[in-house]
Structure formats: structure tokens, C-alpha cells
Amino acid sequence: MLAYLEQALGRTRMARLREARVGIGGLGGLGSNAAVHLVRSGVRHLVLADFDRVDKSNLNRQYYFLAQVGQMKVSALADNLRLIHPDLDLTLICERITAANVLAVFDSCGYWVEAFDQAESKKMFVTAGLRRHKRVVAASGLAGWGRTDDMVTREWSSGLVIVGDRKSGVDAAAPPLAPRVGVGAAKEADVVLSWILEEDEAVAEPGEVTEARGAKEAGGVKKARGVAEPCGRAETHEMDKTQEVGKTRGREETYAVGKTYEADKNRGVEISPGAAGSAKFRLPAGIYAITSQTHSLGRSNLDVAAEILRSGVKILQYREKSKVFREMYEECLVLRRMTRESGALLIVNDYPELALAVEADGVHIGQDDLPLQVVRQLVGSRLIVGVSTHSPEQACAAVEAGADYIGVGPIYPTRTKENVCASVGLQYLDYIVAHAEIPFVAIGGIKEHNLGEVLSHGASTVALVTEIVGSPDIEGKIAKLNQIIEVKDEKASDIVGVLTGGEE
Ligand SMILES: Cc1ncc(COP(=O)(O)OP(=O)(O)O)c(N)n1
Ligand SMILES: Cc1ncsc1CCOP(=O)(O)O
Ligand SMILES: [Mg+2]
């Protein structure tokens, strides 16, 4: 089977399938059949979770056999999958999945397949996955028979695809039956497959024709068929749909932040000019805090940072414009220890050599700093490199040159930065949300009063300077900002409210 797949798909795609980790929550009609499709397609690492046993009533649609009635579904399915392909890496979780354990079970997986039968479990699973920036496929509306053409694949938000007609809940008049359940399972598996196979393919070399299929086509998600434009040639002044920023970036796997980069380092992945797509880095969602002693109401950077980190912020940038190098170095050494202790990323603004010297996680550079290619030469794959951008052209150039994330702004007017360019407004953010496939952080004039607006335009990570460091009560301020971020997360899960209880 693998030899055939390799011949059909090629070695690179096969390697991606082999590396990908897929988690499936619920092993009924959807989950068991989706697992079979994925294994038949070359996926090797699966985390399978279900607390139930095989029942005779399951056999009309679930991938089990009469002789397996009474067995735990996880082990029965593992046996069946190994009959298809013996060399699988299966993690079997025989537990009810709840908000308390969902991350412990599935966090190692980049792709999450929702296959529960209860609306509450569906919502919990999808919400948890999206919060961790996983690719999540869920199902809603698979009951009964007929109308399979109404069962569509739709991208609901970045990272979430829902399959099904989103209407037909299971009841006495509409029992779960093999064909529609099977269509739903196949669609879920196909969405995952498309993510794995196509993630890096939509941007080709200049002049090369690329095509994205599967989930993207079916769901009306960004279509990427066409001739890839070199950045300089793209139509840059309108924020139109012709550029696909960062399509070369992989999203194949996610790990806890921090570990992501470690994992790449361990694999010896080189992030180098022209090698965009080799690394997989994700910015933590939520607050990206930035220091600035002159705006800190007389407090030291270290005191301010301590409060920020105590509040649970997971990414801290050391940005200092008024100190000599030696002092910055001393401060960064302490910040390195503090961020390690609190599990936050440390990014150093402007100075790659300082970032290297203190073993920071990354460096952030702007359009007036050393060019990205030069910085990459200096830091190789050792550091995350973030780049400030103010236009689609700059975003495209940053991605092409191998940025790990981009700054997007200034969204609103700000006086924090000297000689700052005019604010780019939400329009540029909208453009990036629609096109960027590398992580991005919105910045510039973001305050408690406009944070909701920035989030509602699709930013997941938001950088703030004065709103945090200039607050007399930093912990209180961060708590309020986090409340606004939480509300946005709740709204995301409202989308999930459309998930009807259905077929497990
Ligand atoms: C996350 C983030 N985005 C943008 C910037 C600005 O960088 P730059 O344009 O180089 O300006 P300075 O911060 O160096 O004044 C940033 N620091 N962080
Ligand atoms: C560094 C930087 N880059 C673009 S805007 C900005 C300053 C953001 O500061 P504030 O959050 O106080 O507006
Ligand atoms: Mg700079």
C-alpha cells in the first residue's frame, strides 16, 4: 500500500503524511471511518480517544465487526487499522474527553478530528483546538439518508472546517446510517489530508503553476490556483486577492510554543533565505508584551517584566531605545531567566547579536534595521525572526526571505515609536488575515478600548507597549485585556454552536 501511495503521491508528500500527527476524538461512525481513510492514505501517527465499547447497534455504520462486540472501541479500532497497515504509531486513550484532559490527550497533534455525538463535547473539543491554533475539522448534520449533496465542507474560521448539512441532527426520524455518516467521515479525513498535502504547495516558484484542491476548493477557502508572482511583480497597491502571503509556510505540526522551535532545531531544520517553509513556528495567541522603560512610569524594565510574566503573558519583547548596549545585555540576561521560568518566549528587538548572546528565542527587526537576509545569515536557524511590515509588499518580501512571523501595523496612531510611519488601519490587518499563512501580530495604538475591534478583524496575537507598561496596575490591566480576549474566544465557540449533536 505504501509503495503504491509513494508512487502516486511522491516522496515529499509521503514524508509529510508519515510525520503528521492526527488526533481523533470519538471513535463511532465518524471517527472510526475517518481513521480508516487516514491510515489508507498513509497517515501513521494517530491519537485515538473513546471511552466506549463496541455495541451491536454500532455495526450498521461504524468500522467494527461482530466478533468485536464488547471490546473497547480504541483497541478494536487499533486492531482493524493494523490489519490495513501494521506499522502504525497509535496512542490509544480510553477515557471520556473533557475540557480537563483534552489538551493532555491531543496537544501533540497538529490536526484534530471532531467525531463526538454530543453537541457539548463537540463544542468543547473545537474550542480547545482553536485556542491552541490547531487545524480542526468538525461534523454537523449527517443524520438520515439522501441529500448527500447538501453535505458541504466549509471553512468557518481560520483553522476550523465543518462538514455536513449543519441541520440534520440525529433523532427517531433521522437515524445515523452508513452512507451519510460515511460521507461525513470521508470528508473529515479528506480535509485533514488536504491540509497535510497542500500546506506548502500553494506558492510555487515564480512562473510555476500551482493548484490547491480538496478542502480549499470544496470549502471555498482561499483558492490558490494560478501563477505565483514574484513579490515585486504582484499587484501591490490594492489589497486584492492576488497575493498569497506566506503560502510556503508549513503548518503541518504544532507543539507547545517554544517546543516548536526546539523541535525544528533538533531536526536540524535550517531557516535560511529561500528556505521558507522549512520551519514551523507559531506565535502564542493573546498578548505580546513589549517593554519600554521610558513609558514605564519610573519602574525598571525588570520590575515591569516581572508583573507581565506573573500575569501569564507568553511572549515578551525586550525593546529598549534609551540604554547603552552593556545595560541592555545585563537586563536581557535576567529576562532570559525570568522568561524561562514562566515559560514565555523572549524576543529581542533590533539586535540579533544581543539576542544570540543572551540565548533569546528570537529577534524582531523592522524595515530600517538590518535586512532580514543578513539577520538570517547571522542567526541561522537558532532564532525566530520577526519582521515589522506596513504593506502587502513588505509582508510578501518578509515571507519570501524567511521571516517566522510578521508584525502588522501600526494599526492605530501611536506616539510610542519615534518616526513611526502613518497608521495603516484595519484594512492592512484584513488583508493579512485573508492572505497570510505565517503567524502575525497586530501592533500600534492598541488599547483596552479598541482591542475588541482588532480581535474581531481576525488578529489572534496583539502587541501592546504603553497600554501595558504605562499602566499603574499592570496585572489588573492584563486581566482586563485577557477578559476581552476571552470574550472573543467565546464568540469563536458560538460558531461551534451550530454543531448539532450527531453521529459519534
Ligand atoms: C511585534 C513588533 N512589531 C513591530 C515592531 C516595530 O519594529 P521596528 O519597525 O523596527 O521599530 P522599533 O520597534 O525598532 O522602533 C516591533 N518592535 N515589534
Ligand atoms: C514599536 C511599534 N511599531 C509599530 S507601532 C509601535 C509602537 C506600539 O506602541 P503602542 O502599543 O504604545 O502604541
Ligand atoms: Mg527596529
Side-chain angles (χ1 to χ4, degrees), residues 288 290 292 295 317 319 321 349 364 388-390 407-418 420-421 442-447 463-469:
Y288 179 135
I290 302 184
S292 176
H295 297 98
Q317 181 186 120
R319 178 179 181 275
K321 298 285 179 181
N349 189 43
H364 188 94
S388 307
T389 69
H390 319 297
V408 175
I411 305 291
Y412 304 107
T414 175
R415 290 201 302 211
T416 306
K417 177 173 158 52
E418 278 176 25
V420 70
C421 68
I443 186 168
I446 301 177
K447 309 278 175 198
L464 302 90
V465 187
T466 46
E467 186 68 346
I468 293 178
V469 304

mmCIF file of all heavy atoms in Angstrom, residues 288 290 292 295 317 319 321 349 364 388-390 407-418 420-421 442-447 463-469, ligand 2:
data_model
loop_
_atom_site.group_PDB
_atom_site.id
_atom_site.type_symbol
_atom_site.label_atom_id
_atom_site.label_comp_id
_atom_site.label_asym_id
_atom_site.label_seq_id
_atom_site.Cartn_x
_atom_site.Cartn_y
_atom_site.Cartn_z
ATOM 1 N N TYR A 288 1.155 39.968 23.296
ATOM 2 C CA TYR A 288 2.582 40.014 23.014
ATOM 3 C C TYR A 288 3.018 41.322 23.673
ATOM 4 O O TYR A 288 2.721 42.410 23.177
ATOM 5 C CB TYR A 288 2.759 40.020 21.495
ATOM 6 C CG TYR A 288 4.163 40.099 20.914
ATOM 7 C CD1 TYR A 288 4.528 39.266 19.867
ATOM 8 C CD2 TYR A 288 5.096 41.027 21.346
ATOM 9 C CE1 TYR A 288 5.795 39.346 19.276
ATOM 10 C CE2 TYR A 288 6.360 41.115 20.780
ATOM 11 C CZ TYR A 288 6.700 40.274 19.748
ATOM 12 O OH TYR A 288 7.948 40.373 19.176
ATOM 13 N N ILE A 290 5.537 44.237 25.159
ATOM 14 C CA ILE A 290 6.807 44.854 24.732
ATOM 15 C C ILE A 290 7.239 45.872 25.790
ATOM 16 O O ILE A 290 6.436 46.703 26.223
ATOM 17 C CB ILE A 290 6.636 45.546 23.360
ATOM 18 C CG1 ILE A 290 6.166 44.524 22.307
ATOM 19 C CG2 ILE A 290 7.934 46.206 22.933
ATOM 20 C CD1 ILE A 290 6.052 45.070 20.895
ATOM 21 N N SER A 292 9.365 49.045 27.468
ATOM 22 C CA SER A 292 9.856 50.372 27.091
ATOM 23 C C SER A 292 10.011 51.159 28.383
ATOM 24 O O SER A 292 9.024 51.609 28.963
ATOM 25 C CB SER A 292 8.861 51.081 26.164
ATOM 26 O OG SER A 292 9.334 52.379 25.899
ATOM 27 N N HIS A 295 8.440 54.586 29.097
ATOM 28 C CA HIS A 295 6.976 54.679 29.258
ATOM 29 C C HIS A 295 6.482 53.932 30.496
ATOM 30 O O HIS A 295 5.295 53.685 30.649
ATOM 31 C CB HIS A 295 6.281 54.113 28.018
ATOM 32 C CG HIS A 295 6.587 54.876 26.771
ATOM 33 N ND1 HIS A 295 7.554 54.485 25.868
ATOM 34 C CD2 HIS A 295 6.080 56.033 26.290
ATOM 35 C CE1 HIS A 295 7.610 55.358 24.869
ATOM 36 N NE2 HIS A 295 6.726 56.306 25.109
ATOM 37 N N GLN A 317 8.751 40.959 24.417
ATOM 38 C CA GLN A 317 9.821 41.541 23.589
ATOM 39 C C GLN A 317 10.576 42.587 24.408
ATOM 40 O O GLN A 317 9.964 43.455 25.042
ATOM 41 C CB GLN A 317 9.238 42.217 22.345
ATOM 42 C CG GLN A 317 10.324 42.803 21.443
ATOM 43 C CD GLN A 317 9.775 43.620 20.273
ATOM 44 O OE1 GLN A 317 10.051 44.798 20.135
ATOM 45 N NE2 GLN A 317 8.982 42.971 19.431
ATOM 46 N N ARG A 319 12.357 45.707 24.182
ATOM 47 C CA ARG A 319 12.523 46.832 23.242
ATOM 48 C C ARG A 319 12.992 48.021 24.060
ATOM 49 O O ARG A 319 12.263 48.511 24.918
ATOM 50 C CB ARG A 319 11.212 47.151 22.534
ATOM 51 C CG ARG A 319 11.303 48.335 21.579
ATOM 52 C CD ARG A 319 9.963 48.567 20.886
ATOM 53 N NE ARG A 319 10.020 49.666 19.945
ATOM 54 C CZ ARG A 319 9.849 50.941 20.271
ATOM 55 N NH1 ARG A 319 9.605 51.281 21.522
ATOM 56 N NH2 ARG A 319 9.897 51.873 19.344
ATOM 57 N N LYS A 321 15.160 51.683 23.779
ATOM 58 C CA LYS A 321 15.744 52.653 22.858
ATOM 59 C C LYS A 321 16.648 53.657 23.567
ATOM 60 O O LYS A 321 17.195 54.534 22.925
ATOM 61 C CB LYS A 321 14.620 53.414 22.134
ATOM 62 C CG LYS A 321 13.722 52.528 21.282
ATOM 63 C CD LYS A 321 14.417 52.116 19.999
ATOM 64 C CE LYS A 321 13.524 51.220 19.153
ATOM 65 N NZ LYS A 321 14.152 50.783 17.916
ATOM 66 N N ASN A 349 14.386 43.074 20.499
ATOM 67 C CA ASN A 349 14.139 43.984 19.385
ATOM 68 C C ASN A 349 15.462 44.511 18.812
ATOM 69 O O ASN A 349 16.407 44.804 19.557
ATOM 70 C CB ASN A 349 13.292 45.166 19.874
ATOM 71 C CG ASN A 349 12.808 46.029 18.719
ATOM 72 O OD1 ASN A 349 12.384 45.499 17.689
ATOM 73 N ND2 ASN A 349 12.871 47.336 18.882
ATOM 74 N N HIS A 364 13.470 40.639 16.737
ATOM 75 C CA HIS A 364 12.492 41.342 15.899
ATOM 76 C C HIS A 364 13.179 42.495 15.181
ATOM 77 O O HIS A 364 13.889 43.284 15.799
ATOM 78 C CB HIS A 364 11.326 41.883 16.737
ATOM 79 C CG HIS A 364 10.251 42.423 15.859
ATOM 80 N ND1 HIS A 364 9.164 41.680 15.463
ATOM 81 C CD2 HIS A 364 10.153 43.613 15.230
ATOM 82 C CE1 HIS A 364 8.427 42.400 14.634
ATOM 83 N NE2 HIS A 364 9.002 43.583 14.474
ATOM 84 N N SER A 388 8.759 43.612 11.072
ATOM 85 C CA SER A 388 7.664 44.591 11.003
ATOM 86 C C SER A 388 7.288 44.823 9.556
ATOM 87 O O SER A 388 8.173 45.021 8.713
ATOM 88 C CB SER A 388 8.109 45.949 11.546
ATOM 89 O OG SER A 388 8.654 45.816 12.806
ATOM 90 N N THR A 389 6.010 44.859 9.273
ATOM 91 C CA THR A 389 5.564 45.166 7.903
ATOM 92 C C THR A 389 4.419 46.172 7.961
ATOM 93 O O THR A 389 3.645 46.178 8.908
ATOM 94 C CB THR A 389 5.079 43.901 7.161
ATOM 95 O OG1 THR A 389 3.850 43.456 7.774
ATOM 96 C CG2 THR A 389 6.107 42.790 7.199
ATOM 97 N N HIS A 390 4.350 46.975 6.918
ATOM 98 C CA HIS A 390 3.320 48.015 6.864
ATOM 99 C C HIS A 390 2.525 47.948 5.566
ATOM 100 O O HIS A 390 1.703 48.818 5.298
ATOM 101 C CB HIS A 390 3.976 49.402 6.988
ATOM 102 C CG HIS A 390 5.075 49.436 8.009
ATOM 103 N ND1 HIS A 390 4.845 49.196 9.346
ATOM 104 C CD2 HIS A 390 6.418 49.634 7.895
ATOM 105 C CE1 HIS A 390 6.009 49.262 10.013
ATOM 106 N NE2 HIS A 390 6.974 49.513 9.146
ATOM 107 N N GLY A 407 5.083 41.476 11.973
ATOM 108 C CA GLY A 407 4.330 42.478 12.713
ATOM 109 C C GLY A 407 3.465 43.226 11.706
ATOM 110 O O GLY A 407 3.903 43.489 10.579
ATOM 111 N N VAL A 408 2.246 43.543 12.093
ATOM 112 C CA VAL A 408 1.293 44.176 11.187
ATOM 113 C C VAL A 408 0.831 45.481 11.831
ATOM 114 O O VAL A 408 0.124 45.465 12.839
ATOM 115 C CB VAL A 408 0.089 43.227 10.949
ATOM 116 C CG1 VAL A 408 -0.981 43.912 10.118
ATOM 117 C CG2 VAL A 408 0.565 41.942 10.287
ATOM 118 N N GLY A 409 1.244 46.600 11.275
ATOM 119 C CA GLY A 409 0.832 47.848 11.887
ATOM 120 C C GLY A 409 1.651 49.014 11.389
ATOM 121 O O GLY A 409 2.373 48.875 10.403
ATOM 122 N N PRO A 410 1.548 50.167 12.039
ATOM 123 C CA PRO A 410 0.697 50.446 13.193
ATOM 124 C C PRO A 410 -0.784 50.492 12.789
ATOM 125 O O PRO A 410 -1.147 51.188 11.840
ATOM 126 C CB PRO A 410 1.149 51.833 13.657
ATOM 127 C CG PRO A 410 2.179 52.303 12.693
ATOM 128 C CD PRO A 410 2.347 51.310 11.610
ATOM 129 N N ILE A 411 -1.568 49.745 13.538
ATOM 130 C CA ILE A 411 -3.000 49.698 13.213
ATOM 131 C C ILE A 411 -3.636 51.067 13.501
ATOM 132 O O ILE A 411 -4.401 51.585 12.701
ATOM 133 C CB ILE A 411 -3.708 48.608 14.063
ATOM 134 C CG1 ILE A 411 -3.031 47.243 13.879
ATOM 135 C CG2 ILE A 411 -5.201 48.542 13.726
ATOM 136 C CD1 ILE A 411 -3.199 46.618 12.539
ATOM 137 N N TYR A 412 -3.326 51.624 14.647
ATOM 138 C CA TYR A 412 -3.855 52.942 15.022
ATOM 139 C C TYR A 412 -2.680 53.890 15.225
ATOM 140 O O TYR A 412 -1.542 53.452 15.410
ATOM 141 C CB TYR A 412 -4.641 52.839 16.334
ATOM 142 C CG TYR A 412 -5.750 51.821 16.305
ATOM 143 C CD1 TYR A 412 -5.625 50.616 17.006
ATOM 144 C CD2 TYR A 412 -6.914 52.041 15.583
ATOM 145 C CE1 TYR A 412 -6.641 49.679 16.993
ATOM 146 C CE2 TYR A 412 -7.942 51.096 15.565
ATOM 147 C CZ TYR A 412 -7.788 49.918 16.267
ATOM 148 O OH TYR A 412 -8.793 48.988 16.249
ATOM 149 N N PRO A 413 -2.967 55.182 15.235
ATOM 150 C CA PRO A 413 -1.878 56.134 15.510
ATOM 151 C C PRO A 413 -1.236 55.835 16.860
ATOM 152 O O PRO A 413 -1.912 55.410 17.796
ATOM 153 C CB PRO A 413 -2.598 57.487 15.544
ATOM 154 C CG PRO A 413 -3.849 57.283 14.760
ATOM 155 C CD PRO A 413 -4.243 55.851 14.961
ATOM 156 N N THR A 414 0.063 56.031 16.922
ATOM 157 C CA THR A 414 0.776 55.807 18.183
ATOM 158 C C THR A 414 1.904 56.817 18.287
ATOM 159 O O THR A 414 2.470 57.224 17.274
ATOM 160 C CB THR A 414 1.350 54.376 18.247
ATOM 161 O OG1 THR A 414 2.137 54.272 19.442
ATOM 162 C CG2 THR A 414 2.232 54.043 17.050
ATOM 163 N N ARG A 415 2.198 57.192 19.523
ATOM 164 C CA ARG A 415 3.339 58.098 19.706
ATOM 165 C C ARG A 415 4.477 57.388 20.437
ATOM 166 O O ARG A 415 5.444 57.994 20.842
ATOM 167 C CB ARG A 415 2.884 59.332 20.463
ATOM 168 C CG ARG A 415 1.965 60.178 19.579
ATOM 169 C CD ARG A 415 1.922 61.597 20.064
ATOM 170 N NE ARG A 415 1.461 61.615 21.446
ATOM 171 C CZ ARG A 415 0.769 62.589 21.994
ATOM 172 N NH1 ARG A 415 0.464 63.640 21.271
ATOM 173 N NH2 ARG A 415 0.387 62.552 23.238
ATOM 174 N N THR A 416 4.338 56.098 20.597
ATOM 175 C CA THR A 416 5.335 55.343 21.350
ATOM 176 C C THR A 416 6.644 55.247 20.580
ATOM 177 O O THR A 416 7.711 55.227 21.156
ATOM 178 C CB THR A 416 4.799 53.937 21.655
ATOM 179 O OG1 THR A 416 3.540 54.081 22.288
ATOM 180 C CG2 THR A 416 5.755 53.154 22.536
ATOM 181 N N LYS A 417 6.524 55.163 19.285
ATOM 182 C CA LYS A 417 7.719 54.980 18.459
ATOM 183 C C LYS A 417 8.022 56.295 17.746
ATOM 184 O O LYS A 417 7.120 56.904 17.171
ATOM 185 C CB LYS A 417 7.429 53.872 17.442
ATOM 186 C CG LYS A 417 8.525 53.614 16.462
ATOM 187 C CD LYS A 417 8.161 52.381 15.622
ATOM 188 C CE LYS A 417 8.892 52.358 14.301
ATOM 189 N NZ LYS A 417 10.334 52.527 14.373
ATOM 190 N N GLU A 418 9.305 56.653 17.786
ATOM 191 C CA GLU A 418 9.697 57.857 17.065
ATOM 192 C C GLU A 418 9.702 57.571 15.569
ATOM 193 O O GLU A 418 10.007 56.460 15.141
ATOM 194 C CB GLU A 418 11.100 58.280 17.495
ATOM 195 C CG GLU A 418 11.085 59.067 18.790
ATOM 196 C CD GLU A 418 12.480 59.398 19.263
ATOM 197 O OE1 GLU A 418 13.399 59.452 18.417
ATOM 198 O OE2 GLU A 418 12.635 59.595 20.485
ATOM 199 N N VAL A 420 7.500 57.027 13.541
ATOM 200 C CA VAL A 420 6.669 55.888 13.132
ATOM 201 C C VAL A 420 5.958 56.230 11.825
ATOM 202 O O VAL A 420 5.644 57.405 11.583
ATOM 203 C CB VAL A 420 5.655 55.550 14.265
ATOM 204 C CG1 VAL A 420 4.601 56.623 14.410
ATOM 205 C CG2 VAL A 420 5.022 54.184 14.052
ATOM 206 N N CYS A 421 5.730 55.232 10.990
ATOM 207 C CA CYS A 421 5.029 55.531 9.742
ATOM 208 C C CYS A 421 3.541 55.756 10.046
ATOM 209 O O CYS A 421 3.064 55.407 11.128
ATOM 210 C CB CYS A 421 5.218 54.405 8.719
ATOM 211 S SG CYS A 421 4.412 52.882 9.154
ATOM 212 N N ALA A 442 -0.592 41.909 15.487
ATOM 213 C CA ALA A 442 -1.045 43.283 15.226
ATOM 214 C C ALA A 442 -0.408 44.196 16.263
ATOM 215 O O ALA A 442 -0.269 43.828 17.434
ATOM 216 C CB ALA A 442 -2.564 43.354 15.306
ATOM 217 N N ILE A 443 -0.038 45.397 15.832
ATOM 218 C CA ILE A 443 0.655 46.322 16.752
ATOM 219 C C ILE A 443 0.306 47.764 16.393
ATOM 220 O O ILE A 443 -0.034 48.061 15.248
ATOM 221 C CB ILE A 443 2.193 46.116 16.686
ATOM 222 C CG1 ILE A 443 2.878 46.978 17.756
ATOM 223 C CG2 ILE A 443 2.770 46.403 15.304
ATOM 224 C CD1 ILE A 443 4.342 46.653 17.975
ATOM 225 N N GLY A 444 0.434 48.612 17.391
ATOM 226 C CA GLY A 444 0.329 50.046 17.147
ATOM 227 C C GLY A 444 -0.962 50.650 17.664
ATOM 228 O O GLY A 444 -2.023 50.420 17.083
ATOM 229 N N GLY A 445 -0.857 51.363 18.784
ATOM 230 C CA GLY A 445 -2.021 52.070 19.323
ATOM 231 C C GLY A 445 -3.108 51.158 19.851
ATOM 232 O O GLY A 445 -4.259 51.579 19.996
ATOM 233 N N ILE A 446 -2.754 49.932 20.154
ATOM 234 C CA ILE A 446 -3.792 49.002 20.637
ATOM 235 C C ILE A 446 -3.982 49.221 22.134
ATOM 236 O O ILE A 446 -3.028 49.231 22.907
ATOM 237 C CB ILE A 446 -3.429 47.535 20.304
ATOM 238 C CG1 ILE A 446 -3.276 47.388 18.785
ATOM 239 C CG2 ILE A 446 -4.510 46.593 20.835
ATOM 240 C CD1 ILE A 446 -2.848 46.013 18.325
ATOM 241 N N LYS A 447 -5.227 49.419 22.505
ATOM 242 C CA LYS A 447 -5.601 49.759 23.882
ATOM 243 C C LYS A 447 -6.784 48.889 24.283
ATOM 244 O O LYS A 447 -7.417 48.253 23.432
ATOM 245 C CB LYS A 447 -6.052 51.236 23.958
ATOM 246 C CG LYS A 447 -5.089 52.232 23.348
ATOM 247 C CD LYS A 447 -3.976 52.569 24.308
ATOM 248 C CE LYS A 447 -2.929 53.468 23.672
ATOM 249 N NZ LYS A 447 -1.681 53.474 24.377
ATOM 250 N N ALA A 463 0.177 42.999 19.993
ATOM 251 C CA ALA A 463 1.321 43.575 20.706
ATOM 252 C C ALA A 463 0.937 44.936 21.271
ATOM 253 O O ALA A 463 0.346 45.761 20.574
ATOM 254 C CB ALA A 463 2.503 43.711 19.752
ATOM 255 N N LEU A 464 1.266 45.135 22.521
ATOM 256 C CA LEU A 464 0.959 46.407 23.166
ATOM 257 C C LEU A 464 2.185 46.871 23.938
ATOM 258 O O LEU A 464 2.846 46.067 24.600
ATOM 259 C CB LEU A 464 -0.211 46.279 24.148
ATOM 260 C CG LEU A 464 -1.555 45.767 23.608
ATOM 261 C CD1 LEU A 464 -1.630 44.255 23.722
ATOM 262 C CD2 LEU A 464 -2.709 46.392 24.342
ATOM 263 N N VAL A 465 2.447 48.169 23.849
ATOM 264 C CA VAL A 465 3.548 48.729 24.631
ATOM 265 C C VAL A 465 2.945 49.560 25.759
ATOM 266 O O VAL A 465 2.786 49.094 26.885
ATOM 267 C CB VAL A 465 4.507 49.571 23.763
ATOM 268 C CG1 VAL A 465 5.718 49.986 24.591
ATOM 269 C CG2 VAL A 465 4.969 48.794 22.535
ATOM 270 N N THR A 466 2.569 50.809 25.448
ATOM 271 C CA THR A 466 2.200 51.743 26.523
ATOM 272 C C THR A 466 0.954 51.317 27.295
ATOM 273 O O THR A 466 0.843 51.628 28.481
ATOM 274 C CB THR A 466 1.982 53.156 25.947
ATOM 275 O OG1 THR A 466 1.187 53.056 24.766
ATOM 276 C CG2 THR A 466 3.314 53.790 25.614
ATOM 277 N N GLU A 467 0.042 50.642 26.630
ATOM 278 C CA GLU A 467 -1.177 50.251 27.363
ATOM 279 C C GLU A 467 -0.823 49.342 28.542
ATOM 280 O O GLU A 467 -1.487 49.356 29.564
ATOM 281 C CB GLU A 467 -2.153 49.546 26.411
ATOM 282 C CG GLU A 467 -3.505 49.210 27.006
ATOM 283 C CD GLU A 467 -4.368 50.447 27.326
ATOM 284 O OE1 GLU A 467 -3.846 51.580 27.341
ATOM 285 O OE2 GLU A 467 -5.567 50.254 27.589
ATOM 286 N N ILE A 468 0.265 48.606 28.409
ATOM 287 C CA ILE A 468 0.665 47.709 29.498
ATOM 288 C C ILE A 468 1.726 48.371 30.381
ATOM 289 O O ILE A 468 1.510 48.568 31.569
ATOM 290 C CB ILE A 468 1.165 46.357 28.933
ATOM 291 C CG1 ILE A 468 -0.015 45.625 28.284
ATOM 292 C CG2 ILE A 468 1.800 45.503 30.038
ATOM 293 C CD1 ILE A 468 0.319 44.305 27.655
ATOM 294 N N VAL A 469 2.852 48.721 29.767
ATOM 295 C CA VAL A 469 3.940 49.216 30.639
ATOM 296 C C VAL A 469 3.591 50.574 31.255
ATOM 297 O O VAL A 469 4.115 50.948 32.302
ATOM 298 C CB VAL A 469 5.303 49.291 29.910
ATOM 299 C CG1 VAL A 469 5.697 47.966 29.318
ATOM 300 C CG2 VAL A 469 5.326 50.389 28.854
HETATM 301 C C1 LIG B 2 7.083 49.603 18.054
HETATM 302 C C2 LIG B 2 5.960 49.920 17.188
HETATM 303 N N1 LIG B 2 5.942 49.537 15.893
HETATM 304 C C3 LIG B 2 4.847 49.883 15.248
HETATM 305 S S1 LIG B 2 3.808 50.730 16.251
HETATM 306 C C4 LIG B 2 4.857 50.579 17.556
HETATM 307 C C5 LIG B 2 4.577 51.136 18.895
HETATM 308 C C6 LIG B 2 3.428 50.490 19.555
HETATM 309 O O1 LIG B 2 3.283 51.034 20.839
HETATM 310 P P1 LIG B 2 1.873 51.264 21.493
HETATM 311 O O2 LIG B 2 1.285 49.951 21.780
HETATM 312 O O3 LIG B 2 2.201 52.022 22.767
HETATM 313 O O4 LIG B 2 1.068 52.103 20.533
#
